């Protein structure tokens, strides 16, 4: 258990106190005073490792199954003895311009909080440090932990959305750059960006429902005084979701503009090819006629016929070139 338990402590009146190493004894001590709670943090426990924790805190089997399997949608479930919340923090990787997501499961019950982390994109260590530096917030009990985690996750959504906005601006500059000056594989980069936005939407979109429920104050195990704080988190989440929706629409518009530009450029290329083919057709036709082996042909034995034909072909080609140039085909 020491391998999966990242941190465990009893918080009394907003202050951290070290309790017994045994979870059952620590929980009994937290419940004995009535103004304390036990916070246990786990990282990717196995079924056998989590069985001990779930039995000590009487966690619901369905919630335990979700916490072990991971790959869950953000949600909020209310059981008889506990509240179960799933959040998906996202991380922006600047080296690869990619978005990855982790998972956070939070169990809240009578004088306890159990957090289960999957992946590396979970800000629990920073959340715990921030809460321990703000005892006035932490003294509100397990609800303060759920609020702080939700606030940290949603605030990071806004930061990641800002990074994606910068990437989108770079894509727009490449798409609308003069022909041949932007980097290649633009369509591939746009599709990659859309996949990153989709990964973001899978994390932030489904969280709107749970945050709205917490903001109304109708959820068991959640302190009534925390409603304004959850309402603030919900407002930030709505703003993040609006940014994500805007990014997705802009990427679709950028892709459409890129495909339209590709079509225009292909039409320009076809016009240039057609113009060159037309200019090549005239001398080819004249040379083909005079290349026939007939005895009786006009001007066949005329001394000046060869230079005249050459000048005629060059003049026709030059005329066609000026015509196509004036019409923008060259």
């Amino acid at each position: 258990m020491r391998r999966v338990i990242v941190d465990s402590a009893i918080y009394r009146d907003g202050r951290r106190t070290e309790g017994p190493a045994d979870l059952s004894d620590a929980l009994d001590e937290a419940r004995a005073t009535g103004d304390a709670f036990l916070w246990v943090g786990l990282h990717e426990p196995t079924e056998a490792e989590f069985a001990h924790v779930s039995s000590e805190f009487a966690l619901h089997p369905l919630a335990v199954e979700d916490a072990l399997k991971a790959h869950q949608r953000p949600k909020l479930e209310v059981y008889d003895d506990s509240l179960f919340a799933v959040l998906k923090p996202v991380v922006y990787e600047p080296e690869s311009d990619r978005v990855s997501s982790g998972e956070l499961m939070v169990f809240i019950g009578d004088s306890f909080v159990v957090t289960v982390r999957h992946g590396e994109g979970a800000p629990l260590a920073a959340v715990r440090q921030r809460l321990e530096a703000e005892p006035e917030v932490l003294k509100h009990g397990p609800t303060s932990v759920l609020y702080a985690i939700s606030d940290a996750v949603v605030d990071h959504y806004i930061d990641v959305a800002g990074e994606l906005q910068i990437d989108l601006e770079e894509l727009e500059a490449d798409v609308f750059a003069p022909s041949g000056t932007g980097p290649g594989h633009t369509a591939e980069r746009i599709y990659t960006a859309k996949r990153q936005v989709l990964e973001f939407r899978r994390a932030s979109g489904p969280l709107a429902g749970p945050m709205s429920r917490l903001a109304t104050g109708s959820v068991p195990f959640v302190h009534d005084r925390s409603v304004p704080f959850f309402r603030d988190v919900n407002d930030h989440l709505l703003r993040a979701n609006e940014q994500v929706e805007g990014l997705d629409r802009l990427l679709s518009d950028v892709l459409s503009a890129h495909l339209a530009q590709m079509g225009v450029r292909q039409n320009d290329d076809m016009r240039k090819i057609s113009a060159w083919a037309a200019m090549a057709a005239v001398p080819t036709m004249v040379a083909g006629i005079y290349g026939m082996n007939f005895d009786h042909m006009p001007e066949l034995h005329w001394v000046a016929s060869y230079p005249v034909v050459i000048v005629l072909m060059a003049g026709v080609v030059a005329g066609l070139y000026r015509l196509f140039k004036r019409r923008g085909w060259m």
Side-chain angles (χ1 to χ4, degrees):
M1 290 300 298
R2 291 182 178 274
R3 185 183 66 84
V4 296
I5 296 181
V6 179
D7 199 354
S8 177
I10 296 176
Y11 295 88
R12 181 175 289 104
D13 196 28
R15 304 291 180 179
R16 178 180 179 127
T17 60
E18 299 302 329
D22 183 77
L23 294 180
S24 179
D25 295 339
L27 182 59
D28 291 339
E29 180 178 327
R31 287 173 173 172
T33 58
D35 62 346
F37 69 93
L38 173 65
W39 181 1
V40 179
L42 308 175
H43 178 235
E44 297 183 353
T46 64
E47 183 175 356
E49 291 167 337
F50 198 50
H52 174 66
V53 176
S54 61
S55 62
E56 292 292 344
F57 294 95
L59 303 180
H60 197 279
L62 293 178
V64 171
E65 181 181 358
D66 290 342
L68 288 173
K69 287 185 176 180
H71 303 293
Q72 304 293 319
R73 286 168 55 90
K75 61 181 181 179
L76 184 68
E77 299 286 350
V78 178
Y79 298 100
D80 294 336
D81 300 323
S82 63
L83 177 70
F84 177 61
V86 178
L87 300 93
K88 293 180 72 70
V90 296
V91 175
Y92 178 80
E93 301 172 2
E95 297 82 7
S96 58
D97 294 335
R98 293 186 178 274
V99 174
S100 60
S101 62
E103 286 191 42
L104 281 175
M105 285 76 171
V106 183
F107 295 87
I108 292 180
D110 181 16
S111 300
F112 73 84
V113 177
V114 177
T115 55
V116 181
R117 177 167 62 93
H118 291 271
E120 299 302 325
L124 283 184
V127 169
R128 190 184 286 261
Q129 292 175 1
R130 192 186 77 182
L131 278 175
E132 290 177 355
E134 300 177 355
E136 290 300 319
V137 177
L138 195 57
K139 68 187 302 182
H140 288 91
T143 303
S144 62
V145 178
L146 180 59
Y147 158 70
I149 293 175
S150 303
D151 186 55
V153 169
V154 172
D155 283 348
H156 200 57
Y157 284 168
I158 297 176
D159 295 337
V160 174
E163 296 289 346
L164 291 176
Q165 180 67 42
I166 295 174
D167 292 344
L168 177 56
E169 292 173 357
E170 293 177 355
L171 275 174
E172 284 183 310
D174 294 341
V175 168
F176 294 104
S179 178
T181 61
H185 309 291
T186 302
E188 180 181 351
R189 294 173 61 206
I190 295 174
Y191 277 113
T192 300
K194 285 187 71 69
R195 289 195 62 86
Q196 308 315 309
V197 172
L198 177 60
E199 182 72 17
F200 196 162
R201 292 180 65 181
R202 287 174 178 170
S204 65
L207 188 58
M211 281 297 109
S212 179
R213 291 175 60 190
L214 290 170
T216 60
S218 59
V219 181
F221 305 102
V222 175
H223 202 285
D224 293 338
R225 295 182 180 178
S226 65
V227 171
F229 298 96
F230 282 113
R231 190 180 298 127
D232 181 67
V233 175
N234 188 49
D235 290 341
H236 291 178
L237 178 61
L238 292 176
R239 188 173 71 179
N241 283 333
E242 289 174 356
Q243 287 182 279
V244 174
E245 292 293 336
L247 288 173
D248 188 57
R249 289 194 298 269
L250 284 174
L251 278 171
S252 298
D253 293 341
V254 169
L255 179 61
S256 298
H258 174 66
L259 295 177
Q261 284 189 340
M262 292 295 295
V264 171
R265 290 170 186 171
Q266 288 177 352
N267 289 336
D268 290 340
D269 293 340
M270 288 301 299
R271 284 190 304 210
K272 291 178 181 179
I273 293 173
S274 300
W276 284 108
M279 289 188 294
V282 174
T284 301
M285 179 187 66
V286 175
I289 292 174
Y290 279 89
M292 298 178 184
N293 296 321
F294 293 119
D295 290 333
H296 303 287
M297 293 184 66
E299 318 302 341
L300 187 63
H301 299 288
W302 186 28
V303 177
S305 59
Y306 180 77
V308 169
V309 170
I310 295 298
V311 171
L312 176 64
M313 289 190 295
V316 172
V317 171
L320 289 174
Y321 179 82
R322 291 185 61 186
L323 175 64
F324 293 142
K325 189 74 172 178
R326 187 164 55 250
R327 294 187 177 182
W329 284 34
M330 300 295 295

